[in-house]
Amino acid sequence: QVQLVESGGGLVQAGGSMRLSCAASGTSFSINGMYWYRQTPGKQRELVAAISSDGTTNYAGFVGGRFTISRDNAKNTVSLQMTRLKPEDTAVYYCNALVLRNGGALDTWGQGILVTVSP
């Protein structure tokens, strides 16, 4: 079994920065795409950023150049550097990865981490 564990959330003032990290643990696996999603109460979970195994990145329109996703394939980690944070960025952020193991692929989620941006 492969697990994803997020870290780095908390409270930050508007205009500030925060870095989220996610580490995958387990045995005999590799990871294809890695993603960050977010969700606020009453809304659907939405994609924030994606990074492929070769480092190609994509961002949601609302990111507006403020966030940077990166990964370390050797350590099976993905990070999200967030700058110029806005109160509307307040959400639970989830790490997601397509884990390849035992000849199959499994859509794997972290437990989520709360990011609160105060006005």
Side-chain angles (χ1 to χ4, degrees):
Q1 184 176 357
V2 176
Q3 291 185 323
L4 301 178
V5 178
E6 298 105 336
S7 60
L11 176 65
V12 64
Q13 285 190 329
S17 299
M18 180 178 288
R19 185 177 182 87
L20 303 181
S21 296
C22 173
S25 63
T27 59
S28 303
F29 71 95
S30 61
I31 298 178
N32 196 339
M34 303 189 81
Y35 312 85
W36 285 98
Y37 284 78
R38 70 185 189 185
Q39 187 171 24
T40 54
K43 292 187 177 181
Q44 286 192 337
R45 196 170 295 186
E46 61 182 356
L47 179 66
V48 177
I51 185 167
S52 67
S53 56
D54 68 0
T56 301
T57 59
N58 282 287
Y59 298 92
F62 60 77
V63 169
R66 300 178 296 128
F67 300 173
T68 302
I69 188 171
S70 60
R71 66 188 285 174
D72 185 328
N73 290 333
K75 297 181 179 179
N76 291 314
T77 60
V78 62
S79 296
L80 185 69
Q81 178 68 45
M82 302 184 291
T83 65
R84 292 179 281 141
L85 283 161
K86 306 174 183 179
E88 51 264 43
D89 293 318
T90 295
V92 176
Y93 284 71
Y94 295 89
C95 174
N96 172 254
L98 186 62
V99 175
L100 308 178
R101 187 169 181 263
N102 295 330
L106 184 63
D107 191 30
T108 304
W109 291 89
Q111 80 283 1
I113 193 163
L114 179 62
V115 172
T116 303
V117 184
S118 62

